[in-house]
Amino acid sequence: MFVSHPRASRIAVLGTSLVQQNHIGTETSLATSARGWMGWAEVLSHGRLSCPVHHDPCVPPGWEPSNRPGCSRFFSGLNFGVSGQKAIEIERRLPRLLQSDFDLIVVDAGTNDMMVETRQTIADTRARIAAALLDAGKTVILLPILARGIEKWPAGGAARAKAHWINRRSIEFAASHANCHVFDWNSAWVDPESEFGEPYAGYSNDGTHFSVLGGFAVGKQLAGYLETIVPRAPDRLLSRDDRFDPMNNPLGNLASDLTARAFSEKEEQSHRLGRQLVHPGTGAWVEAICDIDVPAHEDVLGISLRLKDVAAEGQEAISLAPFRADDGTPFPFPDEKWQGALRTPPLKLRPGDTAPELYLDVLLRPGSKPLGIDISRIDIRPVSSPVRA
């Protein structure tokens, strides 16, 4: 079917670790990551854009992170990123991917091929991936090869020239194919003052992948870019009488208090939101979303919305989970004012009768000044099961 108006609520992302790392899954939790550019695009679009995922411990062949047998990403949905993969491996996953429901897909491929494949091979494989998606009726957003720091690509080395050549080929491909576009994440990532095209200081944790600052910058630009491609979704309105009722309104809001203010003056604080929640029943899928207004503050290390199932085997769903270095130190958030909507992945409630709990978790550097955050339109409600029959 030919798609001309992609749904903003069904945006897929395909690629390598640069895509997979938008989400973090474990046996007991699923989170959008604060280093994730797609997660930030969702937040900064005020929830109008969505790349839905859900917890899933399965291990489909060919989808194991870094090709580790038996290793799971712990999620399914529209994040089709698998770390460590070359473009040909991404291409092999297209048949399974195309069984999912989406209209628009953002594609990263070829970054792991740069030292082992020719520029022509990389460009040709990227073109085949895009063509297959276009033939399936999808709108395709190509991502160029992301620039790296000199600790990964030597200054003046062949890899940088190869990347520029491949990226020009992608621009030419998009120009000659309907419903194919290029979003240049390098324009938000590369420091124009850098002689060797390196990312801005602090944007990467290792010269290749995103830190929180890099994810924020690219996500902010992507949110603005997609406004020109997908229709504007309706504003999220919240009526005080739209409350959960098992008979008359089983998809209503589980929370009765819709606004809050979080004032943090300690290094780590959890603020309970929506205190009077209702339990919608075992097996229900629920998600939480709230609007948030954060002032500029130089010492923020984390701001997360966390939905917790307090049942014995309950799990957690988190929006903007902090990204930490190997020693456990969180990477800083941007020192600028930002507004948006935090939305957790959907959470399936385990057996029990205690209502789920919702928290805003705030991390600050030791000795920092207090931080006040305005929170509004707190919305926690049952949603349809994301699991395909």
Side-chain angles (χ1 to χ4, degrees):
M1 180 179 67
F2 184 82
V3 176
S4 58
H5 294 290
R7 290 165 290 176
S9 61
R10 305 291 302 176
I11 295 175
V13 289
L14 168 65
T16 64
S17 56
L18 298 174
V19 170
Q20 179 184 320
Q21 290 170 355
N22 278 289
H23 295 92
I24 307 169
T26 70
E27 292 184 351
T28 59
S29 69
L30 178 59
T32 63
S33 172
R35 78 190 301 193
W37 46 271
M38 187 62 220
W40 276 110
E42 294 178 71
V43 169
L44 298 175
S45 73
H46 295 266
R48 290 189 291 268
L49 302 173
S50 180
C51 176
V53 298
H54 61 275
H55 193 268
D56 184 357
C58 74
V59 187
W63 292 70
E64 302 96 334
S66 301
N67 293 313
R68 298 192 300 270
C71 183
S72 175
R73 300 184 307 158
F74 286 103
F75 60 82
S76 292
L78 298 190
N79 181 337
F80 302 127
V82 177
S83 64
Q85 290 201 331
K86 296 200 298 183
I88 190 65
E89 295 172 302
I90 293 171
E91 184 181 20
R92 290 175 186 146
R93 293 194 285 115
L94 291 179
R96 180 183 178 92
L97 176 158
L98 286 170
Q99 297 174 16
S100 299
D101 176 27
F102 63 92
D103 303 328
L104 183 148
I105 185 164
V106 183
V107 179
D108 147 57
T111 186
N112 292 326
D113 304 57
M114 292 295 290
M115 300 302 183
V116 294
E117 301 289 355
T118 68
R119 65 185 186 184
Q120 189 69 54
T121 296
I122 297 170
D124 288 348
T125 309
R126 283 168 57 90
R128 289 198 308 270
I129 292 170
L133 293 165
L134 291 168
D135 289 344
K138 310 302 181 182
T139 297
V140 175
I141 310 294
L142 287 175
L143 295 171
I145 302 295
L146 189 69
R148 300 191 181 192
I150 58 174
E151 66 269 43
K152 298 295 183 176
W153 288 352
R160 297 183 182 278
K162 180 189 290 190
H164 288 304
W165 186 89
I166 294 167
N167 292 346
R168 291 304 307 178
R169 286 289 303 272
S170 293
I171 292 171
E172 293 173 0
F173 180 93
S176 61
H177 290 78
N179 289 334
C180 187
H181 313 274
V182 173
F183 169 69
D184 188 1
W185 51 1
N186 281 316
S187 64
W189 168 258
V190 172
D191 182 353
E193 300 300 319
S194 169
E195 180 182 359
F196 303 110
E198 291 190 277
Y200 282 102
Y203 274 30
S204 177
N205 66 305
D206 59 4
T208 298
H209 301 93
F210 292 93
S211 67
V212 177
L213 296 181
F216 176 86
V218 170
K220 182 178 181 179
Q221 186 158 310
L222 179 61
Y225 177 87
L226 290 177
E227 284 186 354
T228 67
I229 294 177
V230 299
R232 182 181 176 90
D235 288 334
R236 191 171 61 87
L237 301 177
L238 210 58
S239 174
R240 289 190 173 275
D241 67 348
D242 181 12
R243 297 185 181 178
F244 174 82
D245 182 297
M247 292 294 295
N248 299 314
N249 192 17
L251 298 180
N253 195 353
L254 305 177
S256 56
D257 46 342
L258 306 182
T259 63
R261 180 168 175 80
F263 187 78
S264 297
E265 50 188 353
K266 299 178 182 179
E267 296 174 23
E268 183 173 353
Q269 285 188 260
S270 294
H271 304 270
R272 182 85 173 267
L273 306 178
R275 292 181 179 275
Q276 302 176 26
L277 302 190
V278 178
H279 195 298
T282 296
W285 288 85
V286 296
E287 71 174 23
I289 183 171
C290 72
D291 289 357
I292 188 168
D293 189 337
V294 181
H297 193 292
E298 63 183 2
D299 292 320
V300 177
L301 301 177
I303 297 175
S304 305
L305 186 68
R306 176 167 54 94
L307 182 62
K308 178 180 178 63
D309 180 4
V310 298
E313 298 181 355
Q315 298 183 335
E316 290 186 329
I318 304 167
S319 174
L320 288 188
F323 171 52
R324 299 175 184 272
D326 292 340
D327 64 1
T329 303
F331 282 86
F333 268 50
D335 179 15
E336 65 179 80
K337 175 181 172 63
W338 57 274
Q339 297 174 310
L342 301 183
R343 187 202 310 267
T344 69
L347 177 68
K348 186 177 183 180
L349 298 181
R350 306 291 173 153
D353 55 8
T354 304
E357 298 173 351
L358 184 67
Y359 297 90
L360 186 78
D361 297 329
V362 179
L363 291 175
L364 301 176
R365 283 194 178 94
S368 65
K369 63 184 179 181
L371 172 65
I373 301 174
D374 290 321
I375 305 152
S376 60
R377 297 197 291 183
I378 301 170
D379 191 4
I380 313 161
R381 66 179 65 230
V383 294
S384 299
S385 171
V387 180
R388 293 174 62 89

